[in-house]
Amino acid sequence: MTRSEVLLTQSKYYPRALKGTFPTRPEFFSVDPSKFDIRVGTRMDFSVVISEGIKTVAEQTQEHGREYSIMFYGEDTPHGYYFDNFYAQRAMSAGAFYTPKQKAWTDQCLARKKGEVIYGHTHVAKGSVYNNFSLTDLHYYIKRSLETKRDVYAMLITKDGYTIIMYSYKEHEFFRVRD
């Protein structure tokens, strides 16, 4: 197993039924973020543009039956994180992915002294676990944390609203963030 796979299997939120093994098809396993411990003191604020963007991609996801990837760009301010720009991309098939343009903007934002991003995506309201992150999602956030050597924030948007989580680079664990 890779280091990111090992870190994921060691998370206290990793499905115990898998007994610490990393599945061949991680997209078929979900993790309920409502069970995550809450990270207190992390404040997330969004511009009107971001708030409208979240609503729009949630509606478009359900209307078209396809996921969106959406990256939020902002910075760390004295009052918490403030996000005022985003880039959304509708998936051509069922699952969302980050485009090269989103990756380039992400790298530019993270290169700024106080730049911060939220890796977002949507889920279509199908089945009973659409409000959950897949193991594929969580694995990606760990890999990005290891690559950037920093905490990674992620947002899942569904018809029911959104959930923000973080993966702590130092603690090697996931937390839920209240905005």
Side-chain angles (χ1 to χ4, degrees):
M1 280 194 286
T2 66
R3 181 165 185 236
S4 56
E5 290 169 345
V6 169
L7 289 172
L8 180 55
T9 61
Q10 291 173 348
S11 168
K12 66 182 175 180
Y13 305 108
Y14 191 76
R16 296 300 159 224
L18 294 174
K19 297 181 176 143
T21 61
F22 195 78
T24 306
R25 301 289 306 266
E27 67 273 18
F28 292 143
F29 296 90
S30 66
V31 177
D32 183 356
S34 69
K35 308 283 191 242
F36 290 11
D37 290 340
I38 296 172
R39 177 50 55 110
V40 182
T42 303
R43 182 182 167 112
M44 302 277 181
D45 287 317
F46 302 109
S47 69
V48 172
V49 170
I50 295 288
S51 297
E52 289 302 314
I54 291 169
K55 288 179 197 171
T56 300
V57 297
E59 291 167 0
Q60 293 292 311
T61 296
Q62 301 317 311
E63 183 178 322
H64 298 290
R66 297 227 171 117
E67 292 184 8
Y68 278 74
S69 63
I70 182 168
M71 297 296 299
F72 302 96
Y73 304 101
E75 62 182 37
D76 186 0
T77 73
H79 305 290
Y81 295 110
Y82 180 72
F83 296 90
D84 61 355
N85 198 359
F86 73 93
Y87 185 99
Q89 176 69 43
R90 186 174 74 177
M92 300 309 284
S93 59
F97 60 92
Y98 297 109
T99 67
K101 191 171 189 177
Q102 285 171 312
K103 175 117 172 52
W105 283 19
T106 299
D107 291 343
Q108 287 175 358
C109 185
L110 292 176
R112 295 191 325 246
K113 185 175 180 177
K114 295 189 177 254
E116 191 57 72
V117 300
I118 298 176
Y119 299 82
H121 72 288
T122 63
H123 280 174
V124 178
K126 289 183 182 175
S128 60
V129 294
Y130 66 86
N131 282 318
N132 294 353
F133 287 87
S134 72
L135 287 183
T136 301
D137 300 333
L138 299 181
H139 185 229
Y140 178 78
Y141 306 140
I142 292 173
K143 288 193 311 189
R144 284 300 292 161
S145 178
L146 294 174
E147 290 168 6
T148 60
K149 295 179 177 37
R150 60 189 293 156
D151 296 343
V152 168
Y153 295 91
M155 180 188 291
L156 176 60
I157 304 166
T158 70
K159 72 174 186 67
D160 300 327
Y162 63 84
T163 302
I164 301 173
I165 64 169
M166 72 169 288
Y167 180 75
S168 170
Y169 178 71
K170 290 180 182 174
E171 297 170 69
H172 300 297
E173 192 55 82
F174 290 97
F175 296 91
R176 196 164 29 118
V177 176
R178 297 245 172 119
D179 63 326

